[in-house]
Amino acid sequence: MPKRRIRKLSMVLVFCLMATLLYACGGNNSNNANTTTTNDANSNANTATNNSTTPADTTNDTANNDAAANNGSGNEPAEPAAEWQGEININVSSTNKAGWNAVAAAYTAKNPKVKINVDLKPDGYADWLRAQLTSATPTPDIVNGNVVADLIKTKFLGYNSYLQQLNPYTNNVWIDDFKDFATQSKDITTGDYYNLNLETVQVAWFYNKSIFEKVGVTPPTTWDELVEVSKKIKAAGYIPIALEGDYDSFWSGSVGWLMRIYADSYLRSKFKDVRCQPGDFCYDEEVDGTWQENIADPHNDDDALVNKNPLRQWKAIQDHTLNVTNDDYKEMYTNFKKLIPEYVENGFFGTKKAYPLFLSQKAAMRLDGAWLITSFDKDLTDSEKNGGSKTALPAFEYGVFPMPKMEGPNVDAPVRTIEVPIGFLSVVKKDQAHNDLVMDFMKFYASAPGYSVYLDATLKDGQGISGPPILKGVQVDPKIQEKFDNLTLLGNSEKGNAMGAVSRGVADFQPSVREWVSLAQEYFSGKKTVDQFLEAYQKSLDKNFEGALKSQHLELSDLTTPEKKPPERK
């Protein structure tokens, strides 16, 4: 294997920042879209000012079925060599029963002695999964492991050895069924992969074209323009922005996205403090020795171009090289306060579902994922999504605009957004025979034969998808692909180097997250000044730092020698 390819598969910062995206960018577009919920929709979309009106027919009658018969390599798919038998429990955070039931049926048609139970868990998933995994005999087999980042190396099966095996459903080595496996997140301490992502996701702003025309405004390109547009929309009698304001939104949904995206814009130059240095266990002279900072380039800090040292990031938080009591955060939060809660719906802090306000045309804008492109039509008719209407809501033209840039003396770099692979499918570790059985199903599902069946059923059921699948031989309906192709990418802020570790608590450590949510809501509701809020926030980070560190199986002693690879702990 060429050295460059080995390099691309090598270093991805795993500690908490993929765990932030983890639960944070995902897929139920009707309510807080947390990354675990593949609706199974989320997208790599962003700028499409002409991406109008309700999407055309999103079903795919032939393309995916054709793909199911073509593994992308020119080889004829093989039948599985072993006669598998047993029971597999699929318990992912999703509402996509049609897709999962279809792929389960397709697999059992090839393996009739296997029983697959599809029991989806769209609500309260993180707590449910944690409780399951603390049992001596956990029931789930296939889950979204990203919501329990502290358990990922101890409770889940590593994919690496299986990825090097032949996939009997395609006749390829399984890893070669992926278009670019370098997009997957690799654990830097074990060198293994504990989850698989099969689609892409991107966060952008959606707007009602009719309302914008009536009010006489155009899509904003800066944050201050967004505020001004919101002011005019409110004066015209509309809710400017439909935005959730509950705990989940602040941590893993819309509000949390904003916090992480703009932390990247304000603090990107801090990357030099967390990149691998000469002598570090993760340093690669061929790559890191030639890398030069260019914060104007959204891909300058891509994982394939430079290595990150998670210990250096933790140390930066510990010694306050990375802190929140600074002019950067003060300017950023002052900007947030211009918008929240003045230009969101009444009762914002208790709102769990704001999407119906956008669908019913009471609200003019919506921060969401581009998965909305493929689910919008169905959402208008779905009483659970549209606010309880038993009849379909009137369709309207919508447009999409990219993340508006914040401007000010402390902004570091052009704004990016959340553009990442999504899915986070993990396999719960059990006995070897059962592990092999579940991984055989995953080989089928995570390759053209199975995923084409899954995708076809998903779209025919009116469900959305996140974006182009990252598996060879899987095709999206041309009408959908055209919309994705017309969307402009800004670059990904979620790379383990965007300083997202302190954007909402520290490292997704839940005691810290809860304190940050409480403090942030006090700030936005006017109970604290920005200085009081940031001082209290920094104290909370310091208090929770060691607990967060240990939740990632690290110790304070590891930070005294950040150049050394930390020992593996269970």
Side-chain angles (χ1 to χ4, degrees):
M1 180 180 293
K3 185 172 184 179
R4 175 59 60 181
R5 182 174 180 188
I6 295 173
R7 160 68 199 107
K8 287 186 70 179
L9 295 178
S10 63
M11 308 304 295
V12 176
L13 177 63
V14 293
F15 79 122
C16 58
L17 293 178
M18 278 309 294
T20 59
L21 163 51
L22 100 180
Y23 199 167
C25 46
N28 185 348
N29 64 309
S30 64
N31 36 24
N32 316 333
N34 41 42
T35 332
T36 59
T37 315
T38 39
N39 191 5
D40 280 29
N42 320 47
S43 146
N44 70 342
N46 203 329
T47 320
T49 55
N50 294 321
N51 180 35
S52 59
T53 171
T54 57
D57 180 16
T58 59
T59 60
N60 185 357
D61 293 330
T62 59
N64 293 319
N65 290 331
D66 291 342
N70 178 4
N71 62 29
S73 67
N75 298 331
E76 288 299 320
E79 291 301 316
E83 185 176 28
W84 298 102
Q85 54 184 328
E87 193 166 338
I88 299 172
N89 294 310
I90 299 175
N91 304 116
V92 296
S93 178
S94 173
T95 59
N96 187 8
K97 294 180 181 179
W100 282 105
N101 284 335
V103 74
Y107 179 81
T108 54
K110 294 178 176 294
N111 299 279
K113 293 185 179 180
V114 177
K115 179 182 179 182
I116 299 181
N117 304 308
V118 177
D119 183 14
L120 307 183
K121 307 286 183 181
D123 298 315
Y125 187 72
D127 291 338
W128 175 86
L129 181 58
R130 186 173 293 276
Q132 290 291 317
L133 295 177
T134 56
S135 167
T137 55
T139 300
D141 291 309
I142 298 171
V143 300
N144 298 119
N146 55 328
V147 301
V148 286
D150 55 313
L151 302 178
I152 201 163
K153 289 184 285 189
T154 56
K155 296 296 184 178
F156 299 133
L157 192 62
Y159 280 99
N160 207 30
S161 62
Y162 291 94
L163 287 163
Q164 309 308 319
Q165 295 176 359
L166 183 73
N167 184 343
Y169 303 99
T170 65
N171 269 348
N172 295 325
V173 174
W174 187 19
I175 196 171
D176 291 334
D177 287 323
F178 291 79
K179 291 179 180 177
D180 184 0
F181 201 80
T183 60
Q184 305 293 328
S185 59
K186 184 177 182 179
D187 189 283
I188 201 169
T189 58
T190 67
D192 213 334
Y193 301 88
Y194 297 95
N195 57 59
L196 286 182
N197 300 300
L198 306 181
E199 293 179 3
T200 53
V201 62
Q202 189 183 62
V203 172
W205 288 84
F206 291 76
Y207 69 98
N208 185 309
K209 285 190 170 185
S210 176
I211 293 177
F212 268 51
E213 290 171 3
K214 289 178 182 178
V215 177
V217 295
T218 57
T221 60
T222 70
W223 191 266
D224 285 341
E225 287 177 2
L226 176 62
V227 174
E228 187 62 25
V229 166
S230 298
K231 181 179 179 180
K232 292 178 180 179
I233 290 172
K234 184 175 181 179
Y238 297 98
I239 299 168
I241 302 170
L243 189 71
E244 286 76 22
D246 64 339
Y247 177 86
D248 284 343
S249 177
F250 270 74
W251 169 38
S252 60
S254 305
V255 176
W257 298 342
L258 291 174
M259 301 300 158
R260 292 178 1 248
I261 288 168
Y262 287 99
D264 169 64
S265 185
Y266 271 91
L267 300 174
R268 199 175 308 165
S269 64
K270 293 288 185 181
F271 175 61
K272 62 181 178 293
D273 297 317
V274 302
R275 61 170 296 210
C276 293
Q277 306 295 330
D280 284 3
F281 68 95
C282 52
Y283 187 79
D284 181 340
E285 177 62 34
E286 180 184 348
V287 175
D288 301 308
T290 59
W291 180 85
Q292 293 184 341
E293 181 183 62
N294 180 6
I295 57 178
D297 177 3
H299 300 290
N300 177 243
D301 51 1
D302 282 355
D303 292 321
L305 301 178
V306 61
N307 283 314
K308 297 93 181 176
N309 185 339
L311 297 182
R312 292 200 179 278
Q313 179 138 15
W314 283 103
K315 188 170 179 61
I317 300 171
Q318 180 188 42
D319 64 18
H320 291 187
T321 299
L322 179 59
N323 64 76
V324 298
T325 51
N326 54 58
D327 291 340
D328 302 322
Y329 261 65
K330 185 173 182 178
E331 183 176 291
M332 181 177 70
Y333 270 94
T334 299
N335 279 330
F336 287 144
K337 186 70 177 293
K338 294 176 183 178
L339 205 68
I340 301 172
E342 180 67 22
Y343 298 117
V344 294
E345 68 277 1
N346 292 331
F348 165 72
F349 295 109
T351 302
K352 293 181 178 294
K353 294 184 179 181
Y355 185 45
L357 297 173
F358 182 71
L359 288 176
S360 61
Q361 303 190 61
K362 295 176 182 177
M365 291 180 284
R366 168 78 175 163
L367 181 66
D368 216 316
W371 53 80
L372 188 150
I373 290 171
T374 57
S375 66
F376 183 80
D377 277 345
K378 182 174 184 291
D379 294 343
L380 289 170
T381 67
D382 188 338
S383 62
E384 293 185 7
K385 305 282 184 68
N386 66 19
S389 176
K390 294 182 180 179
T391 59
L393 296 177
F396 61 90
E397 284 194 85
Y398 67 84
V400 185
F401 61 87
M403 208 61 57
K405 62 182 178 181
M406 285 190 182
E407 296 178 310
N410 298 298
V411 174
D412 249 6
V415 67
R416 300 190 286 197
T417 189
I418 297 173
E419 292 176 2
V420 290
I422 192 170
F424 302 100
L425 295 169
S426 300
V427 173
V428 179
K429 189 187 303 181
K430 297 181 180 178
D431 64 87
Q432 188 63 52
H434 191 74
N435 292 345
D436 292 344
L437 166 64
V438 179
M439 279 296 184
D440 185 74
F441 170 81
M442 287 302 299
K443 289 176 182 178
F444 178 71
Y445 173 67
S447 61
Y451 207 73
S452 296
V453 170
Y454 168 87
L455 187 59
D456 192 47
T458 297
L459 295 177
K460 285 181 176 177
D461 190 54
Q463 300 272 353
I465 63 171
S466 64
I470 51 181
L471 293 167
K472 295 177 182 176
V474 177
Q475 302 176 32
V476 178
D477 183 278
K479 295 175 183 178
I480 298 174
Q481 187 64 52
E482 181 180 3
K483 291 181 180 295
F484 289 142
D485 290 343
N486 287 334
L487 300 173
T488 303
L489 305 181
L490 288 182
N492 179 33
S493 63
E494 297 280 318
K495 300 178 184 175
N497 54 313
M499 307 307 143
V502 293
S503 62
R504 5 154 242 146
V506 57
D508 276 336
F509 182 56
Q510 286 302 294
S512 178
V513 173
R514 284 192 291 270
E515 290 182 14
W516 171 77
V517 171
S518 178
L519 292 170
Q521 291 185 341
E522 287 180 1
Y523 165 65
F524 285 119
S525 62
K527 296 177 182 178
K528 276 185 167 57
T529 67
V530 65
D531 290 323
Q532 290 170 336
F533 160 65
L534 293 176
E535 288 174 7
Y537 183 16
Q538 184 62 54
K539 289 179 181 178
S540 175
L541 293 175
D542 293 340
K543 181 181 74 173
N544 287 289
F545 178 81
E546 186 172 359
L549 184 71
K550 289 185 175 181
S551 75
Q552 303 299 315
H553 307 287
L554 297 170
E555 298 289 341
L556 290 173
S557 58
D558 297 329
L559 306 187
T560 61
T561 54
E563 70 278 4
K564 296 181 179 179
K565 183 177 180 178
E568 185 175 350
R569 301 182 178 94
K570 296 182 178 181

